[in-house]
Amino acid sequence: MSLSPWEYDDMVHIGKDFASREVVKAYDARHRRLRDVDKENEAVIAALGLRGDHVVADIGCGTGAFVLMAARRCAKVFAIDISTAMLDYTRGRAESEGIRNIVYLRGGFLTYRHEGEPLDAVSTSLALHHLPDFWKQRALNRMNAMLKAGGRLYLMDVVFSDEDYERTIPAWIEKVKAEAGPDIAEDLMAHIRNEHSTFTWILEGLLERAGFKIDDRILSDGAIARYFCTKTSSRD
Ligand SMILES: C[S@@+](CC[C@H](N)C(=O)[O-])C[C@H]1O[C@@H](n2cnc3c(N)ncnc32)[C@H](O)[C@@H]1O
C-alpha cells in the first residue's frame, strides 16, 4: 500500500536496528538479565483473561516471548514486527517447540492491516515509542479497530510519569546499570536521546481518545508504564 507524501513510514526503523540475528540474540539475552520476561507475560495473560478460544496479536513482538506463551494458551496469535530478523527468531523458537498456531507478519503499527476475525486482545510491549506522538494516536486507533467490542489491550513501554525527570531518569539508569550491566544502561540512554518515549499524561489521553478505558495502570521508576485497557468505543 502506498503512503501519501505526508505519512510516516513506520517500516523504517528508528533507534536500535534489529536487522541481524546477532543483534536479535543479544537483545534477547540482555532483556532476560533485566526482566523476568516469562513472569511478566504470565501476569499479562492472566490479567487479560486469555483462554483457548481467543485470537490475539502482539505488535512489535521482538524475540517472541509473549507470542510463544500466548500461542500455548490461545487459538491463534498474530506475531507482527517490522524486523524480519525478529520474526525469523520467533519462528525458529516456535518451530523448535512444535508450536503451529502463529501467523508471522512483517508490518508496523501503521502499515499492518488486520483482515479476518476481530481480535480478543492486542499486546504491545516496548515498541510504541518508535512512533512520534501524533502517529501513536493513529497506531492506537488502528489497535482499537482490530479488536472486538470489549476486546483488551495491554500496552507496556518506557513512558515518563515524573515531571522531576532530571532526577528520576539518572536514578533509573543507575539502577538498571547496577542490576543488569552497563550495556543495557547504554541502550537506555540511546533510547531516551533518540526515540519517542512520552509522558504518561499524553499517552493516557491518546488511549482514551482511541476508544479505550484504562482498567489498570502500573508505573515503575518514573519511566516504565503498563496499561491494561478495554475497548469501550469503536474507531472503525
Ligand atoms: C525493544 S523491542 C521489544 C520487543 C518485545 N516486544 C519485548 O517486549 O521484548 C522493539 C520491537 O519493536 C519493533 N518495531 C520497531 N518499530 C516498529 C513499528 N513501527 N511497528 C511494529 N514494530 C516495530 C522492533 O523491530 C522490535 O522487535
Side-chain angles (χ1 to χ4, degrees):
M1 223 197 58
S2 65
L3 295 173
S4 298
W6 59 270
E7 287 185 298
Y8 187 86
D9 185 358
D10 77 335
M11 295 302 284
V12 178
H13 78 91
I14 60 131
K16 200 173 184 79
D17 187 355
F18 298 103
S20 76
R21 184 169 166 79
E22 288 62 45
V23 177
V24 168
K25 271 181 82 173
Y27 172 87
D28 204 38
R30 280 181 192 188
H31 274 251
R32 283 179 185 278
R33 266 191 273 138
L34 181 65
R35 306 153 62 192
D36 187 338
V37 182
D38 291 337
K39 195 168 155 197
E40 243 178 57
N41 290 329
E42 286 282 3
V44 172
I45 284 170
L48 295 180
L50 297 187
R51 49 166 212 250
D53 58 334
H54 279 172
V55 180
V56 307
D58 188 19
I59 309 182
C61 67
T63 55
F66 177 82
V67 166
L68 264 68
M69 192 174 283
R72 289 186 210 105
R73 314 285 170 81
C74 299
K76 197 196 296 183
V77 182
F78 292 91
I80 302 156
D81 204 292
I82 64 166
S83 158
T84 306
M86 285 294 199
L87 290 171
D88 288 348
Y89 190 86
T90 300
R91 186 186 286 107
R93 288 179 70 189
E95 282 175 3
S96 71
E97 292 187 33
I99 296 175
R100 292 197 180 77
N101 56 341
I102 301 172
V103 180
Y104 304 90
L105 296 154
R106 180 157 184 267
F109 289 104
L110 304 175
T111 38
Y112 172 65
R113 288 274 187 282
H114 184 71
E115 282 160 11
E117 69 249 85
L119 301 170
D120 296 286
V122 172
S123 166
T124 183
S125 88
L126 294 175
L128 193 63
H129 65 263
H130 285 99
L131 302 180
D133 287 354
F134 176 79
W135 298 102
K136 286 188 183 86
Q137 182 71 73
R138 189 187 253 193
L140 291 167
N141 293 349
R142 289 263 166 88
M143 288 184 242
N144 173 293
M146 287 178 207
L147 284 163
K148 287 179 181 165
R152 305 295 310 281
L153 170 70
Y154 172 66
L155 168 58
M156 182 267 211
D157 212 341
V158 173
V159 191
F160 303 112
S161 54
D162 195 333
E163 280 181 78
D164 188 13
Y165 53 82
E166 305 276 359
R167 186 185 57 78
T168 48
I169 289 179
W172 178 50
I173 292 166
E174 279 313 307
K175 181 180 162 200
V176 168
K177 193 171 175 179
E179 285 176 4
D183 48 355
I184 298 202
E186 286 298 329
D187 281 357
L188 273 188
M189 288 189 275
H191 174 128
I192 296 163
R193 276 196 312 272
N194 305 327
E195 304 186 27
H196 301 295
S197 277
T198 191
F199 286 113
T200 46
W201 47 94
I202 293 174
L203 190 59
E204 288 165 19
L206 300 179
L207 278 165
E208 281 159 12
R209 279 170 186 270
F212 291 105
K213 173 178 168 287
I214 299 170
D215 303 310
D216 197 10
R217 177 184 91 149
I218 303 166
L219 305 179
S220 37
D221 297 312
I224 295 285
R226 294 180 166 81
Y227 293 102
F228 295 88
C229 307
T230 301
K231 170 172 171 169
T232 48
S233 59
S234 194
R235 298 290 310 193
D236 37 9

